[in-house]
């Protein structure tokens, strides 16, 4: 009996910890259902009559549609390109181990270890010189390039885990390398591909600095809208910001719920495997 | 003997001539496969980096409209002789040290707490809530923390005042702003260290824990001799990844304080941002970027070294 009680207490503590970490997020979600004066009320309101007016106003704004569309297109396209080319390279690195494998893997990783402003500075100079700023194509390609290191690292880990005997069997049975890659290896590393897609998507989705620097009014995504709306202009429109933020942070949180078993792989470049 | 070899040759392809055959050759194939990544890499990394390296030896400002003037090591010496650089760097390292330290300790404690949570009702939802801070858009997180920190209608300030303390201007008081930003970083990334701690704990063999219990090791001994012995590489990887990420902190600062008030929350990534995209002093900022590049390379090498150590240990075991 006391065992069950202590177990119940233990579980209550765990839920409390989870809720404490979620509280700031919850507060903004709550605020998005308030009117402007309710958001700024002192003392803060916990009980109130929720309104959907903020969302109605948000979805009616052409600026929201435009930037949200940008966020979706940039992240989906960049991630698909990145994972496709990374898969091929990861296969080559894993199976043929060309001479420069270790060095190239190191170079790839070092791109992601660099502070964002240092990574974007030379690209900015190049984009200005060639007139590539504020273009969908060049923005997508840059994001794709920035998603490659992570994808190659994750996918190489997964392909290393597939025995080369499958390849040998394939060759003996007369398969071409194309079908070995596409029909033998790919299905077995599908979890890795999904993990690479999801976590690169979250990265590009949340990315602000690069878009701010090499983008413009055409290609700006929602994080740019969020950040510039804050730092410029006097009064802050909290109803707009809270509803926009709520809509925008939903996809990554949903992704964590559905792909929780990839969280560890996704947050560690594939260097730590397992589930929590 | 081999069962896999069937006479049907299920993968036999119909086209075995010309280009496909050429690309399929073992000497050619790896190059073909790596080619697209290499192309991306050369256009968006190698060329820009060489450009950056070159420009760091020139005096060049985008606003002046004059062509770059070669100035040798001038940019580097002026950065290294500038006291402000060292203030920014030391502020950044203090930030990294405090953030990673607090997150590691808190993450390990919470990881131990969540270790036996297998039968927690609604575990998946609870963990999603717990891990949410690290996938939330950093710029958005900055936004709502500004609402929470607001000195007139923020919930935190209301809480402090209702306890009878003087109101705190979290983000505009130079003495508090650094801690306020640090606190947000801790909130965002402690869940990551919880994740790493859980991974480390999961790598400990059950049998050894049971043996330790039978041998009546104290909790501290169990932690040191069994858990740390097996989990240390995963923890080290976690700490390193977090160190690198904390060193890069930028979005949060941009949104919450923009480096201010004064230079209270100015971390190097922000300094570089200002120098490059506010002052457009490209020569000097290139030199600073090269210095940051060298620091990041040092981090990367350390990370790879720990990976290598882990692999070697796994190979010996």
């Amino acid at each position: 009996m006391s065992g069950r009680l202590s177990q119940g207490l233990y579980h209550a503590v765990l839920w409390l910890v989870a809720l404490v970490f979620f509280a700031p997020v919850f507060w903004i979600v709550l605020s998005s259902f308030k009117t402007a004066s309710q958001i700024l009320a002192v003392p803060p309101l916990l009980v109130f009559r929720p309104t959907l007016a903020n969302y109605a106003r948000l979805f009616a704004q052409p600026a929201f549609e435009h930037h949200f569309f940008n966020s979706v297109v940039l992240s989906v396209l960049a991630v698909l390109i990145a994972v496709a080319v990374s898969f091929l390279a990861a296969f080559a690195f894993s199976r043929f181990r060309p001479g420069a494998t270790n060095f190239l893997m190191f170079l790839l990783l070092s791109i992601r270890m660099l502070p964002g402003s240092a990574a974007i500075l030379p690209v900015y100079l190049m984009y200005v010189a060639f007139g590539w700023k504020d273009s969908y194509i060049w923005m997508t390609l840059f994001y794709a390039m920035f998603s490659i290191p992570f994808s190659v690292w994750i996918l190489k880990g997964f392909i290393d885990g597939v025995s080369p005997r499958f390849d040998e069997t394939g060759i003996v049975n007369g398969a071409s390398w194309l079908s070995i890659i596409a029909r033998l290896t790919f299905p077995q590393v599908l979890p890795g591909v999904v993990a690479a897609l999801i976590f690169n998507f979250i990265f590009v989705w949340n990315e602000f600095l690069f878009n701010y620097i090499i983008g413009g009014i055409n290609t700006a995504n929602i994080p740019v809208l969020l950040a510039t709306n804050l730092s410029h202009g006097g009064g802050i429109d909290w109803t707009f910001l809270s509803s926009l933020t709520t809509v925008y942070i939903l996809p990554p949180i949903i992704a964590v719920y559905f792909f929780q078993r990839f969280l560890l792989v996704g947050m560690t470049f594939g260097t730590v495997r397992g589930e929590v | 003997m081999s069962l896999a070899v069937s006479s049907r040759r299920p993968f036999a392809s119909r086209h075995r001539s010309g280009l496909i055959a050429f690309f399929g050759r073992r000497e050619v194939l790896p190059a073909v496969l790596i080619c697209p990544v290499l192309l991306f890499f050369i256009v968006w990394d190698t060329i820009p980096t060489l450009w950056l390296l070159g420009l760091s030896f020139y005096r060049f400002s985008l606003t002046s409209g004059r062509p770059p003037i070669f100035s040798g090591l001038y940019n580097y010496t002026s950065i290294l002789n500038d006291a402000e650089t060292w203030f920014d760097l030391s502020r950044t390292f203090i930030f990294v040290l405090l953030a990673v330290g607090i997150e590691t300790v808190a993450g390990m404690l919470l990881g131990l707490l969540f270790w036996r949570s297998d039968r927690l009702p609604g575990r998946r939802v609870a963990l999603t809530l717990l891990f949410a801070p690290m996938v939330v858009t950093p710029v958005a997180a900055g936004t709502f923390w500004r609402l929470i920190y607001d000195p007139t209608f923020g919930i935190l300030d209301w809480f402090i005042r209702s306890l009878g303390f003087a109101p705190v201007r979290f983000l505009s008081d130079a003495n508090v702003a650094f801690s306020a930003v640090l606190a947000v970083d801790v909130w965002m990334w402690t869940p990551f260290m919880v994740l790493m701690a859980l991974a480390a704990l999961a790598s400990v063999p059950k049998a050894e824990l049971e043996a330790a219990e039978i041998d009546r090791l104290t909790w501290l001994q169990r932690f040191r001799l069994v858990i740390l012995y097996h989990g240390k590489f995963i923890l080290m990887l976690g700490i390193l990844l977090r160190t690198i990420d904390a060193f890069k902190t930028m979005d949060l600062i941009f949104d919450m304080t923009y480096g201010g008030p004064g230079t209270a929350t100015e971390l190097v990534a922000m300094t570089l941002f200002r120098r490059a995209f506010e002052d457009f002093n490209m020569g000097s900022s290139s030199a600073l970027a090269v210095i940051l590049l060298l620091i990041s390379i040092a981090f990367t090498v350390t990370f790879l070294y720990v990976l290598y150590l882990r692999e070697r240990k796994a190979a010996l075991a």
Side-chain angles (χ1 to χ4, degrees):
Chain A
M1 193 63 209
S2 90
R4 189 179 290 176
L5 188 73
S6 69
Q7 173 118 6
L9 199 68
Y10 170 60
H11 286 161
V13 171
L14 295 186
W15 263 98
L16 190 71
V17 171
L19 289 175
V20 165
F21 272 95
F22 194 69
V25 182
F26 181 69
W27 188 241
I28 205 77
V29 174
L30 207 63
S31 299
S32 70
F33 293 105
K34 292 176 178 176
T35 63
S37 58
Q38 281 170 336
I39 290 181
L40 306 184
V42 180
L45 289 174
L46 268 176
V47 183
F48 59 95
R49 183 192 293 269
T51 168
L52 287 173
N54 299 335
Y55 288 99
R57 216 161 48 93
L58 178 72
F59 292 134
Q61 280 200 6
F64 167 77
E65 259 171 55
H66 172 62
H67 295 303
F68 196 82
F69 177 77
N70 284 348
S71 281
V72 173
V73 170
L74 286 176
S75 33
V76 169
L77 275 184
V79 165
L80 285 178
I81 296 172
V83 172
V85 298
S86 302
F87 182 78
L88 300 179
F91 185 86
F93 283 138
S94 172
R95 287 296 184 262
F96 304 111
R97 304 210 118 261
T101 299
N102 286 338
F103 181 65
L104 283 173
M105 292 295 281
F106 157 75
L107 276 186
L108 282 174
L109 195 62
S110 69
I111 300 176
R112 278 301 274 271
M113 303 301 190
L114 194 61
S117 32
I120 196 66
L121 175 61
V123 177
Y124 168 80
L125 294 169
M126 182 170 89
Y127 273 37
V128 168
F130 295 158
W132 288 352
K133 270 190 75 188
D134 199 16
S135 131
Y136 275 109
I137 295 174
W138 294 110
M139 179 73 91
T140 308
L141 287 177
F142 176 73
Y143 272 135
M145 180 271 167
F146 220 76
S147 307
I148 284 175
F150 176 83
S151 315
V152 172
W153 267 82
I154 268 201
L155 290 169
K156 179 172 179 293
F158 274 84
I159 297 173
D160 282 343
V162 176
S163 165
R165 282 176 187 259
F166 285 100
D167 302 6
E168 287 157 19
T169 312
I171 293 171
V172 169
N173 282 287
S176 69
W177 278 106
L178 192 67
S179 40
I180 288 174
I181 293 170
R183 289 163 66 189
L184 271 179
T185 314
F186 184 78
Q188 297 190 67
V189 297
L190 206 56
V193 174
V194 172
L197 286 173
I198 295 298
F199 284 90
N200 275 319
F201 173 81
I202 292 178
F203 173 79
V204 180
W205 183 257
N206 288 343
E207 212 289 319
F208 149 73
L209 183 68
F210 301 156
N211 199 308
Y212 183 65
I213 300 292
I214 60 169
I217 190 69
N218 281 325
T219 55
N221 61 3
I222 297 278
V224 171
L225 184 69
L226 274 172
T228 47
N229 233 318
L230 266 178
S231 47
H232 307 302
I236 297 168
D237 185 355
W238 284 113
T239 54
F240 174 68
L241 285 180
S242 59
S243 49
L244 177 58
T245 305
T246 305
V247 171
Y248 202 69
I249 61 181
L250 221 53
I253 294 179
I254 292 173
V256 171
Y257 177 79
F258 282 107
F259 300 101
Q260 210 165 74
R261 65 197 190 93
F262 298 135
L263 196 57
L264 200 54
V265 158
M267 296 308 275
T268 58
F269 284 81
T271 52
V272 179
R273 301 274 212 94
E275 269 180 61
V276 289
Chain B
M1 187 62 221
S2 166
L3 290 170
V5 183
S6 81
S7 56
R8 289 194 296 119
R9 296 168 70 91
F11 289 102
S13 66
R14 269 150 278 169
H15 323 282
R16 267 312 180 81
S17 58
L19 270 180
I20 293 184
F22 173 72
F23 285 135
R25 284 169 62 178
R26 224 188 150 100
E27 313 87 69
V28 185
L29 185 69
V32 174
L33 293 177
I34 294 172
C35 198
V37 162
L38 222 51
L39 196 69
F40 267 100
F41 194 68
I42 290 168
V43 173
W44 278 276
D45 192 67
T46 314
I47 293 175
T49 306
L50 291 176
W51 196 324
L52 182 83
L53 204 62
L55 206 56
S56 70
F57 298 109
Y58 282 84
R59 215 181 280 209
F60 180 45
S61 166
L62 274 187
T63 47
S64 70
R66 275 188 296 251
I69 304 161
F70 186 77
S71 59
L73 287 172
Y74 169 79
N75 286 325
Y76 290 96
T77 52
S78 71
I79 283 176
L80 295 178
N81 285 327
D82 186 357
E84 208 53 51
T85 312
W86 295 103
F87 284 136
D88 290 341
L89 270 177
S90 54
R91 195 179 300 114
T92 308
F93 277 107
I94 290 170
F95 180 86
V96 170
L97 216 65
L98 285 174
V100 177
I102 296 170
E103 284 153 16
T104 305
V105 172
M108 276 164 77
L109 290 176
L110 289 177
L112 284 170
L113 186 67
F114 271 84
W115 191 8
R116 304 283 185 221
S117 65
D118 306 355
R119 280 192 286 164
L120 177 68
R123 183 173 190 267
R124 200 154 161 190
V125 179
L127 286 185
T128 303
L129 298 185
L130 176 68
F131 294 139
M134 61 183 179
V135 294
V136 159
T137 319
V139 183
T143 308
F144 53 74
W145 276 94
R146 277 181 43 140
L147 177 64
I148 291 167
Y149 275 151
D150 195 283
T152 41
F153 41 75
I155 187 166
L156 207 61
D157 211 68
W158 170 78
F159 194 65
I160 286 175
R161 267 180 298 165
S162 60
L163 287 176
F165 293 103
V168 182
R169 287 153 53 237
F170 289 99
L171 296 178
S172 47
D173 186 332
N175 297 316
V176 188
F178 186 81
S179 316
V181 172
L182 184 70
V184 176
D185 193 81
V186 167
W187 165 76
M188 266 188 111
W189 292 108
T190 298
F192 173 73
M193 288 311 296
V194 177
L195 186 68
M196 298 308 291
L198 284 173
L201 288 169
S203 71
V204 180
K206 274 216 170 65
E208 291 195 23
L209 280 168
E210 281 159 13
E213 207 168 331
I214 291 165
D215 289 345
R216 300 199 176 192
L217 297 187
T218 62
W219 253 107
L220 202 65
Q221 283 173 316
R222 266 187 246 176
F223 182 74
R224 208 165 47 86
L225 298 173
V226 183
I227 295 175
L228 269 191
Y229 178 77
H230 287 285
K232 66 183 171 214
F233 287 116
I234 292 180
L235 279 177
M236 271 157 78
L237 291 176
I239 291 170
L240 270 169
L241 281 173
R242 195 69 272 289
T243 306
I244 293 160
D245 253 15
F247 183 68
K248 289 162 48 175
T249 307
M250 160 87 206
D251 290 16
L252 214 58
I253 305 271
F254 184 94
D255 205 21
M256 285 175 66
T257 61
Y258 207 70
T263 55
T265 55
E266 180 104 352
L267 306 183
V268 277
M270 193 71 212
T271 313
L272 177 59
F273 175 84
R274 275 178 199 274
R275 197 169 294 184
F277 303 113
E278 268 183 9
D279 307 342
F280 291 103
N281 189 341
M282 291 307 167
S284 167
S285 46
S286 297
L288 184 57
V290 170
I291 293 171
L292 296 188
L293 179 67
L294 293 178
I295 297 176
S296 321
I297 286 178
F299 282 141
T300 313
V301 169
T302 321
F303 182 80
L304 290 175
Y305 180 65
V306 173
L307 270 185
Y308 161 77
L309 284 183
R310 187 182 66 163
E311 266 166 33
R312 203 180 56 174
K313 189 190 154 218
L316 287 177

